[in-house]
């Protein structure tokens, strides 16, 4: 499984008006890997994740998924290629129940798997099963994050994009969510690209990682290498969230 590129981002530049948020980014994610992207506020991490999903689109460079150039595809067609996203801020539907949120995540193509997929998500996050009739907006932050991931999984993704799943959550809850991501990767071979400010948790989880500064990748390596790297330690780990 590993060793084959599922996602390749090549020389990508993304702009907001005249402002260049991504200044020539190259990353790759192989099938079966967990790869993370770490960096400070405003580095461009979410912009990269959104560029992969086609909104905003890259002005320069290309995004190749499963051997196909998706740079200029509209977002709904990119989603059909089985790239699913849990965006920054979770963006669940607050007035819908947990169960309805999961329904929203399942594409029409996946309806025959619906019961099976919901059961899988309830096994992964038993809390969601207990709360299935509760409105999304009344869940705790950790439960909302579980729901956001669960909803993305309902699309049966080949690539799962996670933008700051740890944001605002207590360390113990983060541990549980990261353990679930690891489980999906190990048991289902799910490929994951993770954006995180919580560098310690992300690097521990990941096979490989990239560091982004001002819209550029400045470092890359295995999770272990970057955890031990003095520059990474000084900038992202010392005194940071552990
Ligand atoms: N919609 C937008 N319009 C204009 N500029 C934007 C927009 N979204 C982001 N930016 C700018 O692009 C740059 C990168 O932002 P981005 O949200 O990608 O960073 P980030 O690494 O995800 O940060 P954080 O860790 O705070 O989530 C920032 O300078 C930001 O101000
Ligand atoms: Mg962000």
């Amino acid at each position: 499984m590993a060793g084959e590129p599922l996602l390749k981002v090549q020389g990508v530049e993304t702009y907001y008006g005249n402002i260049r948020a991504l200044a020539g980014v190259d990353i790759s994610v192989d099938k079966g890997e967990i790869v993370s992207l770490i960096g400070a506020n405003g580095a461009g991490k979410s912009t990269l994740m959104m560029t992969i999903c086609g909104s905003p689109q890259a002005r320069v460079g290309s995004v190749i998924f499963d051997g196909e150039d998706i740079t200029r595809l509209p977002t709904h067609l990119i989603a059909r290629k089985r790239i699913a996203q849990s965006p920054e801020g979770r963006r669940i539907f607050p007035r819908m129940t947990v169960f309805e949120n999961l329904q929203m995540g399942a594409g029409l193509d996946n309806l025959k798997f619906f019961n099976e997929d919901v059961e899988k998500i309830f096994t992964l996050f038993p809390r969601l099963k207990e709360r299935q009739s509760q409105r999304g907006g009344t869940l705790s932050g950790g439960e909302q994050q579980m729901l956001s991931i669960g909803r993305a999984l309902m699309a049966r993704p080949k690539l799962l994009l996670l933008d700051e799943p740890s944001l605002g959550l207590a360390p113990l809850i983060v541990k549980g969510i990261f353990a679930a991501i690891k489980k999906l990767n190990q048991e289902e071979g799910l490929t994951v690209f993770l954006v995180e400010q919580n560098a310690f948790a992300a690097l521990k989880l990941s096979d490989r990682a990239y560091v982004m500064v001002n819209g550029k990748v400045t470092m890359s390596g295995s999770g272990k290498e970057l955890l031990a790297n003095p520059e990474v330690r000084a900038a992202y780990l010392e005194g940071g969230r552990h």
Side-chain angles (χ1 to χ4, degrees):
M1 284 258 288
E4 226 178 299
L6 184 61
L7 176 73
K8 271 180 113 171
V9 171
Q10 297 170 320
V12 159
E13 295 184 21
T14 300
Y15 290 73
Y16 296 108
N18 291 327
I19 297 174
R20 187 171 67 168
L22 297 181
V25 172
D26 297 286
I27 61 139
S28 70
V29 181
D30 288 349
K31 280 186 185 152
E33 274 191 311
I34 302 181
V35 174
S36 63
L37 176 68
I38 62 172
N41 281 124
K45 304 181 300 298
S46 296
T47 301
L48 176 58
M49 195 140 284
M50 294 188 294
T51 300
I52 293 165
C53 296
S55 176
Q57 285 189 351
R59 194 178 289 179
V60 177
S62 55
V63 180
I64 312 290
F65 180 68
D66 222 358
E68 190 184 340
D69 190 334
I70 61 167
T71 322
R72 304 271 166 254
L73 282 187
T75 51
H76 69 282
L77 292 184
I78 293 177
R80 269 210 218 144
K81 303 284 174 197
R82 298 195 182 278
I83 298 181
Q85 188 189 17
S86 164
E88 189 172 271
R90 289 140 200 168
R91 309 260 179 85
I92 55 155
F93 301 107
R95 300 180 69 84
M96 290 187 179
T97 65
V98 166
F99 191 80
E100 288 163 348
N101 267 275
L102 294 176
Q103 281 178 317
M104 294 299 288
L108 284 178
D109 306 347
N110 300 324
L111 286 183
K112 58 180 175 294
F113 304 112
F114 183 79
N115 292 333
E116 181 192 329
D117 289 351
V118 169
E119 272 319 307
K120 247 194 224 167
I121 287 159
F122 285 164
T123 306
L124 190 69
F125 298 120
R127 194 57 90 79
L128 293 182
K129 184 171 188 173
E130 292 165 21
R131 314 250 150 173
Q132 57 182 296
S133 309
Q134 192 173 323
R135 285 188 188 204
T138 65
L139 296 174
S140 72
E143 290 161 354
Q144 290 193 14
Q145 186 58 57
M146 292 171 201
L147 182 55
S148 178
I149 295 172
R151 189 180 59 186
L153 291 172
M154 289 301 291
R156 309 195 131 224
K158 288 185 191 169
L159 174 66
L160 177 64
L161 305 176
L162 301 172
D163 195 343
E164 306 240 17
S166 80
L167 194 71
L169 304 181
L172 200 62
I173 308 291
V174 173
K175 230 178 182 176
I177 284 172
F178 276 41
I181 297 166
K182 186 89 193 169
K183 191 163 176 239
L184 285 167
N185 171 258
Q186 286 182 330
E187 292 180 7
E188 320 243 336
L190 182 65
T191 309
V192 180
F193 184 53
L194 170 75
V195 161
E196 263 297 341
Q197 273 199 54
N198 186 340
F200 185 73
L203 294 177
K204 260 199 347 191
L205 177 76
S206 301
D207 298 304
R208 289 188 305 113
Y210 295 90
V211 179
M212 181 175 270
V213 179
N214 290 334
K216 280 192 177 143
V217 170
T218 55
M219 259 188 273
S220 65
S222 71
K224 270 193 186 150
E225 278 164 5
L226 291 180
L227 266 178
N229 181 296
E231 268 179 71
V232 173
R233 294 194 73 85
Y236 304 106
L237 298 172
E238 308 291 337
R241 285 186 272 161
H242 283 211

